């Protein structure tokens, strides 16, 4: 059975969390839930920054190590996140700051290029937005999907699919449309995942 890490950055009763739950059920694995809203990962400390910059291993890196090992032990990563001010919420960014760690989850070559040290794995990012977000009609920039793609690629995770639910404050018709589209997409994605695992 595959191991799934579900990183949840929105409330348990939110649409994003609901779709994520449906997706992990379809993926038929053992799920570890990391609820970043109920139990936020703390922001990094100056001791953490010092340890990173001086490349020394201290207890300031313990949580980072725990989160990286948790990720390493999973076959599939599912992230559910709302859009906050055009990008990811700070709760998810705090996780990124602990997991994207030089010398541990990525290296830098002599040309200054960063390369991932973790293995690739199927990753699904469910994004919920109040306004139109990411589609051609959107009247706001999307700093979330390119950022998450780059952060994950930096540590070696290239197989990333985004499931977008946008315009969720635009009325029940839009919410129904987005929900239906997301459900169709997760059926398709989970079928592909189950045949390739
Ligand atoms: C602090 C905050 C900032 C937000 N910023 C944006 C934004 O920049 N763009 C947007 O479309 N929606 C924004 N929203 C709306 C959320 O993206 C929206 O409520 C989202 O659909 C919540 O999804 P959920 O029900 O899955 O948690 C913001 C909401 C909050 C609370």
């Amino acid at each position: 059975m595959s191991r799934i890490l579900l990183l949840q950055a929105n409330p348990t009763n939110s649409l994003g969390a609901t779709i994520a739950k449906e997706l992990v059920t379809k993926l038929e694995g053992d799920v570890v839930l990391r609820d970043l809203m109920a139990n936020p990962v703390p922001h990094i400390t100056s001791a953490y920054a010092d340890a990173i910059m001086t490349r020394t291993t201290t207890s300031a890196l313990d949580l980072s190590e725990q989160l990286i090992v948790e990720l390493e032990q999973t076959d599939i990563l599912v992230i559910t996140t709302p859009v906050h001010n055009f990008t990811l919420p700070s709760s998810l960014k705090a996780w990124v700051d602990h997991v994207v760690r030089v010398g541990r989850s990525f290296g830098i070559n002599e040309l200054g290029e960063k390369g991932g040290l973790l293995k690739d794995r199927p990753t699904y990012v469910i994004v919920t937005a109040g306004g139109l977000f990411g589609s051609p009609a959107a009247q706001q920039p999307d700093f979330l999907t390119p950022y998450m793609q780059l952060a994950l690629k930096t540590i070696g995770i290239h197989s990333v699919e985004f499931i977008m639910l946008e315009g969720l404050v635009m009325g029940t018709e839009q919410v129904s449309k987005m929900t239906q589209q997301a459900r169709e997409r997760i059926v398709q994605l989970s079928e592909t995942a189950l045949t390739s695992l």
Side-chain angles (χ1 to χ4, degrees), residues 10-11 14-16 82-86 128-131 140 168:
N10 33 23
S14 68
L15 182 58
V83 175
H84 279 179
N85 298 313
F86 319 115
T128 47
Q140 57 182 332
L168 299 180

Side-chain angles (χ1 to χ4, degrees), residues 81-97:
T81 178
V83 175
H84 279 179
N85 298 313
F86 319 115
T87 190
L88 62 164
S90 57
S91 55
L92 180 55
K93 178 62 163 54
W95 180 86
V96 169
D97 289 339

